[in-house]
Amino acid sequence: MYICNCFGVTDAQIKKHAADGACTPRQIASACKAGTDCGSCVRKIQALLGRGACPRRELVEQGETVAALTPRVELPDAA
């Protein structure tokens, strides 16, 4: 189902971006432009994000810090 008619963004695309870490309408907009033209889809995006499309949101609401959710990258020793 199309969520953003202006840019042709579907609910599946919104859910994919949410699974990739976009947890707010602004982050979704950065990922695919949805919600940046007429704005009529922003409430639909909020509803999708509020219905579990964002897997990390539950951890944040449980008190996890952003640092705990961020994957750690090992850097080589500078010798």
Side-chain angles (χ1 to χ4, degrees):
M1 171 173 68
Y2 283 99
I3 300 298
C4 177
N5 291 319
C6 296
F7 293 104
V9 180
T10 65
D11 59 335
Q13 290 171 299
I14 300 285
K15 290 175 184 178
K16 184 200 176 303
H17 291 304
D20 291 342
C23 290
T24 66
R26 183 170 287 175
Q27 291 171 338
I28 295 293
S30 293
C32 63
K33 292 188 177 182
T36 61
D37 194 25
C38 76
S40 68
C41 62
V42 173
R43 290 190 187 265
K44 293 177 191 173
I45 294 168
Q46 289 171 329
L48 276 175
L49 295 175
R51 291 188 185 139
C54 184
R56 295 182 184 186
R57 178 174 295 232
E58 289 178 10
L59 294 174
V60 171
E61 289 173 353
Q62 292 172 4
E64 295 289 331
T65 64
V66 173
L69 299 174
T70 306
R72 295 185 184 262
V73 177
E74 296 295 325
L75 299 175
D77 291 332

